[in-house]
Amino acid sequence: MNDRPSKMTMRCRLTHSDAWEKMYKRRELEVAGQQVPDPQETIRKMYDKFITPQLNRRGAHVPLPSEVPPEDQAKAAATKSKEKVKAKAKEKGKKKKKKKKYKMLQA
């Protein structure tokens, strides 16, 4: 007899379920570079490849922000907020000086 499968069987094999379609679509996006399988690991690799050598040349060691312990992040945030407050106060002082100067020039 004939060892080849019938046309009906071949047609059934060509159709995919929704799960297969999703898997194919996800793989196409990954290959195209539109979807990254593990974003955190990708950022880490990029940091290690591009940023770390430049920092090492300058003798600095700056860890990746995601690697910084939460206590250090809290300290850094507090320091930044204090610096912002100081900068705003300094800017206000400059504006007041400018107003005084302007008033003196008009008088």
Side-chain angles (χ1 to χ4, degrees):
M1 273 223 144
N2 195 356
D3 290 333
R4 291 183 358 203
S6 68
K7 289 183 179 181
M8 184 65 175
T9 308
M10 288 298 289
R11 193 174 352 176
C12 290
R13 286 184 185 171
L14 293 178
T15 59
H16 302 293
S17 66
D18 289 339
W20 280 101
E21 289 297 326
K22 287 179 185 177
M23 189 172 69
Y24 283 131
K25 186 164 181 97
R26 188 182 80 225
R27 182 67 182 143
E28 286 174 5
L29 290 174
E30 286 176 8
V31 170
Q34 296 175 355
Q35 183 179 8
V36 181
D38 186 6
Q40 193 64 31
E41 184 61 26
T42 303
I43 289 174
R44 171 123 193 78
K45 286 179 184 176
M46 290 171 63
Y47 186 83
D48 287 344
K49 185 173 182 178
F50 297 112
I51 306 298
T52 304
Q54 292 179 0
L55 291 173
N56 288 340
R57 280 188 224 130
R58 292 174 175 82
H61 173 71
V62 180
L64 201 66
S66 62
E67 295 176 352
V68 177
E71 303 86 35
D72 292 343
Q73 286 181 347
K75 288 178 185 177
T79 305
K80 280 186 180 181
S81 64
K82 286 179 184 178
E83 289 174 356
K84 284 183 181 179
V85 170
K86 285 181 183 179
K88 284 183 181 180
K90 191 174 184 179
E91 194 172 311
K92 266 189 175 179
K94 285 182 182 180
K95 284 183 181 180
K96 284 183 180 180
K97 284 182 182 179
K98 282 185 180 180
K99 281 185 180 180
K100 283 183 182 179
K101 199 175 196 180
Y102 182 73
K103 284 183 181 178
M104 288 179 65
L105 290 174
Q106 283 186 348

